[in-house]
Each structure stands twice: as structure tokens, then as C-alpha cells.
Coordinates of all heavy atoms in Angstrom, one line a residue:
R1 N 47.1 23.9 28.1 CA 47.1 22.4 27.8 C 48.5 21.9 27.7 O 49.4 22.5 27.1 CB 46.4 22.2 26.5 CG 44.9 22.5 26.6 CD 44.1 22.0 25.5 NE 44.5 22.4 24.2 CZ 43.8 22.1 23.1 NH1 42.8 21.2 23.1 NH2 44.2 22.5 21.9
R2 N 48.8 20.8 28.4 CA 50.1 20.2 28.4 C 49.9 18.7 28.1 O 48.9 18.1 28.4 CB 50.7 20.3 29.9 CG 50.8 21.7 30.3 CD 52.0 22.4 29.6 NE 52.2 23.7 30.1 CZ 51.9 24.9 29.5 NH1 51.3 24.8 28.3 NH2 52.1 26.1 30.1
V3 N 51.0 18.2 27.5 CA 51.1 16.8 27.2 C 52.4 16.3 27.9 O 53.4 16.9 27.6 CB 51.0 16.4 25.8 CG1 51.2 14.9 25.6 CG2 49.6 16.7 25.3
V4 N 52.4 15.3 28.7 CA 53.6 14.7 29.3 C 53.8 13.3 28.6 O 52.9 12.5 28.6 CB 53.5 14.6 30.8 CG1 54.8 14.0 31.4 CG2 53.0 15.8 31.4
L5 N 54.9 13.2 28.0 CA 55.3 11.9 27.3 C 56.4 11.2 28.0 O 57.4 11.8 28.4 CB 55.8 12.2 25.9 CG 54.9 13.1 24.9 CD1 55.7 13.4 23.7 CD2 53.6 12.3 24.6
L6 N 56.2 9.9 28.2 CA 57.2 9.0 28.7 C 57.8 8.4 27.4 O 57.2 7.6 26.7 CB 56.7 8.0 29.6 CG 57.7 6.9 30.1 CD1 58.8 7.6 30.9 CD2 57.0 5.9 30.9
T7 N 59.1 8.7 27.1 CA 59.7 8.1 26.0 C 60.8 7.1 26.5 O 61.0 7.0 27.7 CB 60.4 9.2 25.1 OG1 61.6 9.7 25.8 CG2 59.5 10.3 24.8
D8 N 61.5 6.6 25.5 CA 62.5 5.6 25.9 C 63.8 6.3 26.4 O 64.7 5.7 26.9 CB 62.9 4.7 24.7 CG 63.3 5.5 23.5 OD1 63.1 6.7 23.4 OD2 64.0 4.9 22.6
R9 N 63.8 7.7 26.4 CA 65.0 8.5 26.7 C 64.7 9.4 27.9 O 65.6 9.8 28.6 CB 65.6 9.2 25.6 CG 66.0 8.3 24.4 CD 66.5 9.1 23.3 NE 66.7 8.3 22.1 CZ 66.9 8.7 20.9 NH1 67.0 10.0 20.7 NH2 67.0 7.9 19.9
A10 N 63.5 9.9 28.0 CA 63.2 11.0 28.9 C 61.7 11.1 29.2 O 60.9 10.5 28.5 CB 63.7 12.3 28.4
V11 N 61.4 12.0 30.1 CA 60.0 12.5 30.3 C 59.9 13.9 29.7 O 60.7 14.7 30.1 CB 59.6 12.5 31.8 CG1 58.2 13.1 32.0 CG2 59.7 11.1 32.4
V12 N 59.0 14.0 28.7 CA 59.0 15.2 27.9 C 57.7 16.0 28.1 O 56.6 15.3 28.0 CB 59.2 15.0 26.4 CG1 59.2 16.3 25.6 CG2 60.5 14.2 26.2
V13 N 57.8 17.2 28.5 CA 56.5 18.0 28.7 C 56.4 19.0 27.5 O 57.3 19.7 27.2 CB 56.6 18.9 30.0 CG1 55.3 19.7 30.3 CG2 56.9 18.0 31.2
L14 N 55.3 18.9 26.9 CA 55.0 19.7 25.7 C 53.9 20.7 25.9 O 52.9 20.4 26.7 CB 54.6 18.9 24.5 CG 55.6 17.8 24.0 CD1 54.9 16.9 22.9 CD2 56.8 18.4 23.6
E15 N 54.0 21.8 25.3 CA 52.9 22.8 25.3 C 52.1 22.6 24.1 O 52.6 22.5 23.0 CB 53.6 24.3 25.3 CG 52.6 25.4 25.2 CD 53.2 26.8 25.1 OE1 54.1 26.9 24.2 OE2 52.8 27.6 25.8
Y16 N 50.8 22.7 24.4 CA 49.8 22.6 23.2 C 49.0 23.9 23.2 O 48.9 24.6 24.3 CB 48.9 21.4 23.5 CG 49.5 20.1 22.9 CD1 50.7 19.6 23.5 CD2 49.0 19.5 21.8 CE1 51.3 18.5 23.0 CE2 49.6 18.3 21.3 CZ 50.7 17.8 21.9 OH 51.3 16.7 21.5
G17 N 48.4 24.2 22.1 CA 47.6 25.5 22.0 C 46.4 25.4 22.8 O 45.9 24.3 23.2
R18 N 45.9 26.6 23.2 CA 44.6 26.7 24.0 C 43.4 26.3 23.2 O 42.4 25.9 23.8 CB 44.5 28.1 24.5 CG 45.5 28.5 25.6 CD 45.2 29.9 26.1 NE 46.3 30.4 26.9 CZ 46.4 30.2 28.1 NH1 45.6 29.6 28.7 NH2 47.5 30.7 28.8
F19 N 43.4 26.6 22.0 CA 42.2 26.4 21.2 C 42.4 25.4 20.0 O 43.6 25.2 19.6 CB 41.7 27.7 20.6 CG 41.5 28.8 21.6 CD1 42.4 29.8 21.8 CD2 40.5 28.7 22.5 CE1 42.3 30.8 22.8 CE2 40.3 29.7 23.5 CZ 41.2 30.7 23.6
G20 N 41.4 24.8 19.5 CA 41.5 24.0 18.3 C 42.0 22.6 18.7 O 42.0 22.2 19.9
P21 N 42.5 21.9 17.7 CA 42.9 20.5 18.0 C 44.2 20.5 18.8 O 44.9 21.4 18.9 CB 43.2 19.9 16.5 CG 43.4 21.1 15.7 CD 42.6 22.3 16.3
V22 N 44.4 19.3 19.4 CA 45.6 19.1 20.3 C 46.8 19.0 19.4 O 47.1 17.9 18.8 CB 45.5 17.9 21.2 CG1 46.7 17.7 22.0 CG2 44.2 18.1 22.0
K23 N 47.6 20.1 19.2 CA 48.8 20.1 18.3 C 50.0 20.7 19.2 O 49.8 21.7 19.8 CB 48.6 20.9 17.1 CG 47.7 20.3 16.1 CD 47.6 21.1 14.8 CE 46.7 20.5 13.9 NZ 46.5 21.3 12.6
P24 N 51.1 20.0 19.1 CA 52.3 20.5 19.9 C 52.8 21.8 19.4 O 52.8 22.1 18.2 CB 53.3 19.4 19.8 CG 53.0 18.8 18.5 CD 51.5 18.9 18.3
R25 N 53.2 22.7 20.3 CA 53.9 23.9 19.9 C 55.3 23.9 20.2 O 56.1 24.4 19.4 CB 53.2 25.1 20.7 CG 51.8 25.3 20.3 CD 51.3 26.6 20.6 NE 49.9 26.7 20.0 CZ 49.4 27.8 19.9 NH1 49.9 29.0 20.3 NH2 48.2 27.9 19.4
R26 N 55.7 23.5 21.4 CA 57.1 23.5 21.8 C 57.3 22.6 23.0 O 56.4 22.2 23.7 CB 57.6 24.8 22.1 CG 57.0 25.5 23.3 CD 57.4 26.9 23.4 NE 56.7 27.6 24.6 CZ 57.3 28.0 25.7 NH1 58.7 27.8 25.9 NH2 56.6 28.5 26.7
V27 N 58.6 22.2 23.2 CA 59.0 21.4 24.4 C 59.3 22.4 25.5 O 60.0 23.3 25.4 CB 60.3 20.6 24.1 CG1 60.8 19.9 25.3 CG2 60.1 19.6 22.9
L28 N 58.6 22.1 26.6 CA 58.8 22.9 27.9 C 59.9 22.4 28.7 O 60.6 23.1 29.4 CB 57.4 23.0 28.7 CG 56.3 23.8 28.0 CD1 55.1 23.7 28.9 CD2 56.7 25.3 27.7
A29 N 59.9 21.1 28.8 CA 61.0 20.5 29.7 C 61.3 19.1 29.2 O 60.4 18.4 28.7 CB 60.5 20.4 31.1
R30 N 62.6 18.7 29.4 CA 63.0 17.3 29.2 C 63.5 16.9 30.5 O 64.5 17.4 31.0 CB 64.1 17.2 28.1 CG 63.6 17.3 26.7 CD 64.7 17.0 25.7 NE 65.0 15.6 25.7 CZ 64.3 14.7 25.0 NH1 63.2 15.0 24.3 NH2 64.6 13.4 25.0
L31 N 62.9 15.9 31.2 CA 63.2 15.5 32.5 C 63.8 14.1 32.4 O 63.5 13.3 31.5 CB 62.0 15.5 33.4 CG 61.2 16.8 33.4 CD1 59.9 16.7 34.1 CD2 62.0 17.9 34.1
P32 N 64.6 13.7 33.4 CA 65.2 12.3 33.4 C 64.2 11.2 33.5 O 63.1 11.5 34.1 CB 66.2 12.4 34.6 CG 65.8 13.5 35.4 CD 65.0 14.5 34.6
L33 N 64.5 10.1 33.0 CA 63.6 8.9 33.2 C 63.4 8.7 34.8 O 64.3 8.9 35.5 CB 64.2 7.7 32.5 CG 64.1 7.6 31.0 CD1 64.8 6.4 30.4 CD2 62.6 7.6 30.6
G34 N 62.3 8.2 35.1 CA 62.1 8.0 36.5 C 61.4 9.2 37.2 O 61.0 9.1 38.4
T35 N 61.3 10.3 36.5 CA 60.6 11.5 37.1 C 59.1 11.1 37.3 O 58.5 10.6 36.3 CB 60.7 12.7 36.2 OG1 62.1 13.0 36.0 CG2 60.0 13.9 36.8
G36 N 58.6 11.2 38.5 CA 57.2 10.8 38.7 C 56.2 11.9 38.4 O 56.5 13.1 38.4
I37 N 54.9 11.5 38.3 CA 53.8 12.4 38.1 C 52.9 12.2 39.3 O 51.9 13.0 39.3 CB 53.2 12.1 36.7 CG1 54.1 12.4 35.6 CG2 52.0 13.0 36.5 CD1 53.4 12.2 34.3
G38 N 53.0 11.4 40.1 CA 51.9 11.1 41.1 C 52.4 11.4 42.5 O 53.4 12.1 42.7

């Protein structure tokens, strides 16, 4: 499970656990603003 956040400073990719509620574990990547997902 991954969550991609668009913040006011960057695009942040977070790792979430496989089981249970959606809780962040760690930051996988911080990408520059303007990084596309589509």
C-alpha cells in the first residue's frame, strides 16, 4: 500500500502497512512539485 501526497513543497510517496488501518510507516520518496502521476 502506498499513499502519494501533493504538498505545498513536494510530491511525497509514503509506505503504509499491508494489514490493518492505513497508517504511514516511512517516506519512500520526495519528488519535486510538478511530478505527474498520469
Side-chain angles (χ1 to χ4, degrees):
R1 296 194 298 183
R2 303 287 185 251
V3 172
V4 183
L5 303 172
L6 175 62
T7 72
D8 57 340
R9 301 178 191 169
V11 174
V12 182
V13 182
L14 301 176
E15 175 185 48
Y16 277 65
R18 291 184 191 272
F19 307 104
V22 181
K23 291 185 180 177
R25 294 198 174 196
R26 66 187 175 112
V27 175
L28 293 176
R30 287 188 69 83
L31 306 168
L33 285 174
T35 301
I37 297 185

